[in-house]
Amino acid sequence: MSPEEKPYPSPKVAWYAVSVLLIAYTIAFIDRTILSLLVGPIQADLGIGDTAMGLLHGIAFALFYCFLGLPIAWLSDRFSRRWIIAIGMILWSAMTALCGLAKNFTQLFLARMGVGVGEAALSPAAYSMIADLFPPSSLGRAMGVYSSGVFFGAGVAFLVGGFVISLATGGGALWLPLFGELRVWQFVFVIVGLPGVLFALLMLTVPEPERRAKNSGGAKASSSGLITFLRENPKASIGHFLGFALLGVVFNGFVAWGPTQMIRDFGVTASDAGAAFGIGIFICGGGGIILGGLVADKLTQRGYEDAAMRAGIIGGIGLIPTGLAAPLMPDFISSAIAYAAFFLFASFPFGAAAAALQLMTPPGLRAQMSAMYLLVLNLIGIGGGPLLIAAISDYVLSGPASIGTGMAVTAAITTPLGVLTLIATLPAYRLLRARS
């Protein structure tokens, strides 16, 4: 019996694997996002401005995270994906803790680069595994659950980070065994980073699914095969990558600067901003991405070949008004509510985006294609979003006090462009799916 004829793993096995991958992704986003709550203390201790913080949020993490994804995906299409993820998890967790030892901007920049190196191992391998665990009719739901780790992780980062800061603030330097005296922001990095090293062992309990060759079109797991596929399908591939990347600009920029905007505009503490932001992103962000996957599955069951792309467009349309409103609200309470609505729509497209990518890609190229998608998504979204907002605030507007306006301007430019790009891509995507 050929691989494509074999039944998919049992739902119990498949959903257990997704649950563990969700934990891994949640931890990854905690480690990636915690920096957003520490902007003030880091700037005070290291003497750096908003543009430098934009570099730490974006380019420092995104550079190696994006470009190492391709060679790691090449390995994922050939070797054990669960081992690749486990090793990456140990690395990014250790490097997050190492951020807590940084004494200057350069050291923190290099440690953030290390976090990106480790996290590059996760999603290309995870996407490939999930596509081998679930049939197409339920792939959107599974991808949505996995991708919700972004929002659960960010929510936990803000909630726990704010709580830790509230406990530690006021006591000066703190002391940890093996690490010695630490400032509050350094202490937070160490506390959130170290547990991931132990959780990496849980990944080894996940069975490695058999790779399925259905609809491969003869594509081989090679870099030449990937280049051939991209050359033969440029409109669908580039349109998918660029459309979702433009939506990612506003999401990543808002995650990076939202708590700081609340602190500056409303005079609240980091713990208050973290709680408000964390609850909104945890509940609405986590629920929105699962909802997007469910909508994609429903549209698929109704016969839409482009269902996943349509779900992405629906989320992008809702993102336009909420992205404009959230950073410009007049008080803390209305701002927290508006950010919650923003995260519902910001999360909605991305489970569907991952499902759309797997459905249009031959199985032998899925990890590499996922890495190419993540390269574009994160280089533009993570690398560009936080830096673009800071640059608009610093060089176009009136500096730190205008960070909220900079966020709204960024949303007004990038979100409509993303929606229009996805709409323009639908015909090419349908044609590719019809040939699969």
Side-chain angles (χ1 to χ4, degrees):
M1 182 182 293
S2 61
E4 66 267 24
E5 295 173 329
K6 291 184 178 180
Y8 284 88
S10 70
K12 181 179 179 180
V13 170
W15 284 110
Y16 173 74
V18 170
S19 298
V20 176
L21 290 169
L22 170 61
I23 292 171
Y25 207 10
T26 299
I27 292 172
F29 227 80
I30 291 172
D31 292 355
R32 182 189 313 185
T33 307
I34 194 65
L35 178 68
S36 300
L37 205 56
L38 304 173
V39 170
I42 290 173
Q43 288 183 318
D45 279 357
L46 302 186
I48 59 178
D50 282 356
T51 300
M53 285 302 305
L55 289 171
L56 289 174
H57 278 298
I59 295 298
F61 175 86
L63 194 61
F64 280 93
Y65 178 70
C66 294
F67 289 105
L68 280 182
L70 289 171
I72 292 174
W74 184 90
L75 295 173
S76 298
D77 281 329
R78 290 160 175 77
F79 302 106
S80 170
R81 291 164 285 188
R82 65 174 187 166
W83 271 103
I84 289 171
I85 292 172
I87 292 169
M89 197 170 182
I90 292 171
L91 177 59
W92 89 60
S93 299
M95 295 304 293
T96 299
L98 193 61
C99 287
L101 302 182
K103 304 296 184 184
N104 54 51
F105 173 81
T106 300
Q107 291 176 4
L108 187 53
F109 190 95
L110 292 174
R112 285 283 290 174
M113 288 174 65
V115 177
V117 170
E119 290 196 21
L122 177 56
S123 280
Y127 286 169
S128 177
M129 289 181 74
I130 294 170
D132 287 333
L133 289 164
F134 291 87
S137 61
S138 57
L139 185 59
R141 189 181 320 133
M143 287 294 183
V145 170
Y146 166 71
S147 300
S148 67
V150 170
F151 304 94
F152 292 145
V156 171
F158 290 126
L159 288 167
V160 174
F163 178 70
V164 172
I165 290 171
S166 69
L167 290 179
T169 299
L174 302 166
W175 186 88
L176 278 179
L178 302 180
F179 291 89
E181 282 194 351
L182 300 172
R183 304 294 292 176
V184 170
W185 63 269
Q186 294 174 315
F187 177 82
V188 172
F189 274 123
V190 173
I191 291 298
V192 302
L194 290 180
V197 177
L198 295 177
F199 275 104
L201 300 177
L202 187 62
M203 192 64 219
L204 301 181
T205 67
V206 174
E208 180 76 20
E210 184 172 356
R211 300 176 196 270
R212 308 182 67 83
K214 186 177 181 180
N215 297 331
S216 65
K220 296 180 180 180
S222 66
S223 56
S224 61
L226 176 64
I227 292 169
T228 299
F229 180 78
L230 291 171
R231 186 184 299 125
E232 291 176 349
N233 304 282
K235 291 183 179 179
S237 301
I238 294 173
H240 178 287
F241 293 171
L242 184 59
F244 286 108
L246 287 167
L247 299 183
V249 167
V250 67
F251 166 69
N252 286 286
F254 277 40
V255 168
W257 288 111
T260 300
Q261 179 262 318
M262 284 182 158
I263 292 168
R264 290 177 182 176
D265 288 353
F266 308 125
V268 298
T269 64
S271 59
D272 288 339
F277 217 70
I279 291 170
I281 198 170
F282 189 92
I283 296 174
C284 295
I289 197 166
I290 295 172
L291 179 61
L294 289 171
V295 169
D297 286 347
K298 281 290 184 183
L299 292 173
T300 298
Q301 292 162 15
R302 293 182 181 180
Y304 289 96
E305 288 289 334
D306 57 1
M309 293 289 285
R310 286 175 181 261
I313 292 168
I314 292 169
I317 291 171
L319 192 55
I320 295 172
T322 56
L324 289 171
L328 298 179
M329 300 306 288
D331 58 76
F332 179 63
I333 298 299
S334 62
S335 178
I337 294 170
Y339 273 120
F342 165 82
F343 282 119
L344 176 68
F345 290 107
S347 62
F348 195 98
F350 288 101
L357 186 70
Q358 302 309 305
L359 291 171
M360 71 187 242
T361 305
L365 297 175
R366 279 176 175 158
Q368 292 178 75
M369 190 68 166
S370 297
M372 182 65 72
Y373 160 64
L374 292 170
L375 186 154
V376 177
L377 178 71
N378 293 311
L379 194 61
I380 294 175
I382 298 176
L387 184 58
L388 179 60
I389 288 172
I392 290 173
S393 174
D394 278 348
Y395 301 112
V396 179
L397 302 173
S398 56
S402 62
I403 196 72
T405 305
M407 294 167 70
V409 169
T410 300
I413 295 170
T414 61
T415 308
L417 286 175
V419 170
L420 291 173
T421 301
L422 292 177
I423 292 172
T425 304
L426 285 177
Y429 181 83
R430 284 194 295 265
L431 182 62
L432 177 57
R433 289 282 290 123
R435 293 202 308 262
S436 296

